[in-house]
Amino acid sequence: MTNAVTFKILEDIARDLSGSEITFPTFLDITFQVRSALKDPNLSVEQLAKLVGAEPLMSAKIIRMANSVALNPSGREIADVKSAIVRVGMEAVRTVSFAVAMEQLLKSKQMQPFEGLSQRLWEHTSHVAALCRVLARKLAKINGDEAMFTGLVHDLGVFYLMSRAANFPELVNDKAELHALLVGWHDNIGHALLSALGSPESVLEAVRDHETDREITAVGNLSDVLFVANKIANRTSCWRDPELDGPVDTSMLDTLFDAETLAEIIEESEEEVLSLKAALGG
């Protein structure tokens, strides 16, 4: 019975994502608006501030991020959205819009049956985003903000699948089948959603392949960064249920890093997690 429900959910999602006019789930509304605005090469800070200002939660988070220790070493506080966007950069608004969307979904009434899973998922997401920033800066020498954004959205497919599964009580009550659905399909569905939202190809490739085991001898690009960050986070804060899925194989980390280097990366990322949570208020 539940297998039929799983098939129906996947069939519905495939139909939704294959159409020319994609209907995004409600929790992604603000993200879609921001994405559309940022595609305009002539977008001004004033125009973006007006869009952000219409969403109180997002406004508060942008201002909080601008006043975080990482972005405000001088201690001079900002109280308006426009000045906050100037300080954090227009692309940071994209990151915050996704954080707001995910937080609103996880706190919604429909997600109450998934409370434990939701908490583990958000904790895992925060750690992957922070680890991506550290690895990008420390090893790959690529844009840390883009890497953090990629870490933040890498499990978007899990959030989306949970929002769809919430409408089917028989699936909610079948933890094994639900877990299999989330684990087996979240990377492909996350890739499809982000593609529809117009994300850069480098982000799409990284999200699509972040669960695909492969040999890595050096962390050199965004896909490597996300893959390794996800492996590390699966050691320290995994969202999967080990009783239903077994532990994630993270042995490649011991080949890639010596114990001291890995410990340094994890320690540095813990500081980033705290900074990220303080900035996003999560």
Side-chain angles (χ1 to χ4, degrees):
M1 173 64 183
T2 309
N3 287 327
V5 173
T6 296
F7 180 77
K8 174 172 173 47
I9 289 175
L10 293 172
E11 190 177 44
D12 288 348
I13 291 173
R15 184 170 56 250
D16 289 349
L17 295 178
S18 64
S20 56
E21 290 294 327
I22 295 174
T23 302
F24 288 94
T26 304
F27 78 93
L28 284 176
D29 280 351
I30 185 64
T31 294
F32 183 75
Q33 293 172 39
V34 168
R35 167 261 191 188
S36 298
L38 289 173
K39 286 185 73 174
D40 181 358
N42 299 314
L43 179 71
S44 67
V45 173
E46 288 80 6
Q47 290 171 318
L48 186 56
K50 187 175 182 180
L51 171 63
V52 172
E55 170 55 60
L57 183 58
M58 192 167 170
S59 299
K61 288 185 183 295
I62 287 288
I63 292 171
R64 184 183 293 124
M65 177 177 275
N67 289 323
S68 65
V69 175
L71 294 174
N72 185 28
S74 68
R76 185 176 62 83
E77 291 203 348
I78 282 173
D80 66 285
V81 173
K82 180 182 173 183
S83 298
I85 292 173
V86 170
R87 179 176 285 177
V88 303
M90 293 173 72
E91 281 301 311
V93 177
R94 179 179 61 160
T95 299
V96 174
S97 74
F98 271 96
V100 169
M102 293 173 185
E103 185 182 26
Q104 286 181 325
L105 173 67
L106 294 181
K107 290 182 176 179
S108 65
K109 186 177 180 180
Q110 73 181 107
M111 300 300 280
Q112 286 179 356
F114 308 125
E115 185 176 3
L117 174 58
S118 296
Q119 290 175 349
R120 295 198 307 273
L121 180 59
W122 185 240
E123 194 68 21
H124 174 78
T125 298
S126 300
H127 278 80
V128 173
L131 282 159
C132 280
R133 191 179 182 112
V134 171
L135 291 168
R137 184 177 60 231
K138 201 178 186 77
L139 299 179
K141 310 301 182 186
I142 60 175
N143 188 305
D145 290 332
E146 182 180 46
M148 183 178 74
F149 170 77
T150 305
L152 187 69
V153 301
H154 82 287
D155 276 342
L156 181 63
V158 185
F159 289 87
Y160 182 49
L161 282 166
M162 285 167 64
S163 73
R164 300 293 288 252
N167 298 316
F168 297 88
E170 58 269 58
L171 184 56
V172 172
N173 294 325
D174 189 338
K175 291 185 177 180
E177 183 68 20
L178 174 64
H179 196 268
L181 171 66
L182 299 180
V183 171
W185 288 92
H186 74 278
D187 44 1
N188 287 327
I189 287 174
H191 173 271
L193 270 173
L194 290 166
S195 178
L197 282 163
S199 296
E201 189 61 33
S202 57
V203 174
L204 296 178
E205 289 180 2
V207 170
R208 182 194 63 205
D209 299 334
H210 78 272
E211 298 279 11
T212 304
D213 279 326
R214 55 194 185 272
E215 184 179 347
I216 291 181
T217 56
V219 181
N221 57 38
L222 187 59
S223 285
D224 295 341
V225 164
L226 179 59
F227 178 74
V228 173
N230 190 50
K231 286 291 188 184
I232 297 174
N234 276 327
R235 278 194 181 180
T236 59
S237 54
C238 188
W239 64 265
R240 301 185 186 197
D241 188 334
E243 293 183 3
L244 296 174
D245 196 36
V248 177
D249 182 8
T250 62
S251 58
M252 58 82 60
L253 294 173
D254 300 317
T255 304
L256 186 61
F257 302 115
D258 59 57
E260 185 179 351
T261 301
L262 183 57
E264 287 177 2
I265 290 170
I266 292 174
E267 183 179 356
E268 195 171 334
S269 73
E270 289 296 336
E271 297 175 7
E272 288 281 355
V273 168
L274 293 175
S275 178
L276 181 65
K277 287 183 175 180
L280 298 177

